[in-house]
Amino acid sequence: MTLSTYLFFAGECAAAFDLYAEALGGTVVDRSTYAELPSTEMPEGASVPADEADLIMHMTLQVGDHQLMGSDVSAAFGSAPEVGSHVALSVGVASREEAERVFAALLEGGTVQYPLADTFWGAYFGQGTDRFGVRWMVSFDGPREG
């Protein structure tokens, strides 16, 4: 199991990660925008506003053995982050079954924002907020089912 830090921004993710890469000597290993998000991956009835298409949907900065991940918040997925809510904990697990167990345990009594599902980027992924207000992202990067 891995545990990574995930930061949320209001349109400044790319600039922040460019700064972090330079300051920390890291390398950006993944950068995707909302324009690259297939409509089949959107919550039902949601769409990314045209003025948010170039915002960062997901970005990963490799710094030594640690990955710092982040994204800009799109109106299609919720409001801009409030002070103190810029962070989520990202858990990488070894199987789909472990993803389901960990996701259910963490989010019992909480709120699911994105149910566990296969994604276009290849992960079995889900996101939610636990009953204490902490944001969690659970991901299995193994093969898809079916």
Side-chain angles (χ1 to χ4, degrees):
M1 184 180 293
T2 60
L3 185 63
S4 301
T5 305
Y6 204 103
L7 303 175
F8 295 91
F9 297 89
E12 300 166 326
C13 185
F17 271 59
D18 289 344
L19 170 69
Y20 302 157
E22 184 176 332
L24 301 171
T27 303
V28 172
V29 296
D30 185 19
R31 177 182 278 198
S32 302
T33 66
Y34 282 104
E36 299 170 73
L37 179 66
S39 61
T40 56
E41 297 290 325
M42 296 292 295
E44 189 171 329
S47 63
V48 175
D51 63 337
E52 295 181 354
D54 292 331
L55 293 179
I56 299 297
M57 182 198 73
H58 178 76
M59 197 162 189
T60 304
L61 175 67
Q62 187 74 42
V63 181
D65 292 337
H66 183 76
Q67 287 189 337
L68 178 64
M69 296 181 277
S71 68
D72 290 311
V73 177
S74 167
F77 292 93
S79 59
E82 297 176 18
V83 173
S85 69
H86 289 68
V87 177
L89 297 177
S90 178
V91 181
V93 298
S95 69
R96 294 174 75 86
E97 294 76 18
E98 188 176 12
E100 291 167 3
R101 180 189 65 74
V102 169
F103 192 76
L106 289 171
L107 297 181
E108 183 177 348
T111 304
V112 173
Q113 279 90 27
Y114 191 95
L116 280 169
D118 287 318
T119 63
F120 76 96
W121 65 86
Y124 185 56
F125 172 85
Q127 177 177 302
T129 304
D130 70 20
R131 65 182 179 268
F132 306 107
V134 175
R135 293 171 72 164
W136 289 94
M137 304 165 82
V138 176
S139 182
F140 167 61
D141 292 329
R144 290 179 173 230
E145 283 191 348

